[in-house]
Amino acid sequence: MTGPVIPFEDKTPKIHPEAWVAPTAIVIGDVEIGEDSSVWYHCVLRGDTNIMRIGARTNIQDGSVLHLNAGAEPLIIGDDVTIGHACIVHACTLKNRAFVGMGATVLDRAVIEEGGMLGAGGMLPPGKVIGPNELWMGSPAKLVRVMSAEERGKFDRTAPSYVALAKRHRASLARG
């Protein structure tokens, strides 16, 4: 059982068979979701006016809204990305291992480089770039520090734990 997958005009979402979309999530239009990625309860992924590409093992947690700009900026998300609960991610780029904390907002043309992190409740303004392994916080977000490999490594456990949890949810719903 997966959430609604809705075509828009001539585009139908492409979801890898090993990805999981919660039954209450909605995926619309020109969206591709990679292997072992998960889209959790009450998320909206709307690829109606541009493309949305999501890599492997990425988790988009409950209540998040992802969108893009008509013909201008797509939404590109890499592998092993974590998007926390209740985030807004709009027309931006999240590279591999990017981390968006709960309730955070990432706006048009912003980029979170590999291993970069936007803290919970943060707002990354249009066009801003979080560098590799940088931690930004606040609204508008500002650089707090560059994380050590050890500090950043703790967050790297999130993506694989969500891959396993999604498999448990899929199995539990199949039994229901």
Side-chain angles (χ1 to χ4, degrees):
M1 172 186 283
T2 66
V5 174
I6 301 171
F8 181 77
E9 295 175 343
D10 63 341
K11 302 293 184 184
T12 300
K14 295 176 183 162
I15 301 170
H16 191 282
E18 294 301 316
W20 183 71
V21 177
T24 60
I26 298 174
V27 182
I28 303 163
D30 197 352
V31 177
E32 293 182 11
I33 300 173
E35 183 176 6
D36 284 332
S37 286
S38 55
V39 179
W40 291 83
Y41 302 94
H42 301 292
C43 289
V44 176
L45 281 64
R46 189 159 55 96
D48 52 359
T49 61
N50 207 324
I51 66 168
M52 184 181 301
R53 300 294 181 260
I54 299 165
R57 298 171 306 281
T58 286
N59 61 94
I60 302 162
Q61 297 174 16
D62 312 69
S64 290
V65 175
L66 282 64
H67 195 232
L68 28 79
N69 275 337
E73 291 97 16
L75 178 59
I76 306 297
I77 299 173
D79 299 335
D80 302 299
V81 172
T82 291
I83 298 173
H85 308 291
C87 291
I88 297 172
V89 179
H90 196 268
C92 60
T93 300
L94 308 178
K95 296 193 178 178
N96 296 343
R97 298 175 48 246
F99 195 106
V100 179
M102 292 184 285
T105 300
V106 184
L107 294 175
D108 307 28
R109 299 175 319 283
V111 176
I112 301 180
E113 296 285 352
E114 183 159 352
M117 179 180 289
L118 176 61
M123 191 277 294
L124 190 62
K128 291 289 186 182
V129 177
I130 294 177
N133 299 316
E134 290 180 353
L135 169 62
W136 288 44
M137 297 178 78
S139 182
K142 297 192 180 342
L143 175 64
V144 174
R145 68 180 173 278
V146 175
M147 295 177 284
S148 69
E150 180 181 345
E151 180 182 17
R152 184 60 187 89
K154 292 176 185 176
F155 293 101
D156 285 338
R157 292 191 290 256
T158 304
S161 73
Y162 267 86
V163 169
L165 186 57
K167 290 179 188 306
R168 291 172 55 201
H169 275 259
R170 181 195 309 262
S172 181
L173 287 168
R175 285 191 303 270

